[in-house]
Amino acid sequence: MRFRGSPFREVIDRQLDLFAHDHAEVVEEANARLDLYTTAGADNAEERYGAYLDTVETGTEILADLRDHFARTLGEVEAERYLADFDRAVAKRLPAYALEIENR
């Protein structure tokens, strides 16, 4: 995924690749739990959706830690740009984590 004009595109691409590789089980579990939710009957849907959200929250925490750790190495102006670019990249590449990442 490339973001034209972003000085952080390469590092963000690498970070998201690293997340996808090192935490593939989290992504796979979230996808599996979403599938369970979408096929659940009315009596199980709420519980299954909660389990899905828990897994998404775990992935979001990992992504936010990755993002925030790198942002601390930058100056204030650069960090603001990086944070916005990172969140935008997550929204495009890992949309399940987009809403929560912006709130962290």
Side-chain angles (χ1 to χ4, degrees):
M1 171 122 354
R2 299 286 177 204
F3 301 96
R4 291 181 212 133
S6 173
F8 302 107
R9 70 175 181 211
E10 288 182 32
V11 72
I12 291 170
D13 281 343
R14 284 190 217 130
Q15 289 172 319
L16 295 182
D17 288 345
L18 179 70
F19 170 77
H21 179 268
D22 289 355
H23 303 285
E25 71 283 351
V26 174
V27 175
E28 291 168 8
E29 184 177 347
N31 291 336
R33 287 185 175 193
L34 181 60
D35 288 343
L36 287 172
Y37 163 68
T38 59
T39 60
D43 51 333
N44 292 333
E46 185 175 347
E47 180 181 327
R48 289 187 178 178
Y49 190 69
Y52 164 70
L53 289 179
D54 288 345
T55 306
V56 169
E57 183 177 351
T58 298
T60 301
E61 288 174 5
I62 295 166
L63 286 165
D65 286 347
L66 251 167
R67 177 196 66 189
D68 296 346
H69 179 74
F70 185 78
R72 285 191 293 271
T73 69
L74 303 170
E76 187 176 335
V77 172
E78 294 85 5
E80 286 181 27
R81 171 88 188 263
Y82 164 77
L83 292 170
D85 290 351
F86 187 94
D87 291 353
R88 194 169 27 262
V90 168
K92 289 182 180 180
R93 187 165 166 185
L94 300 163
Y97 305 95
L99 181 59
E100 285 297 315
I101 195 85
E102 291 179 1
N103 296 328
R104 294 192 187 263

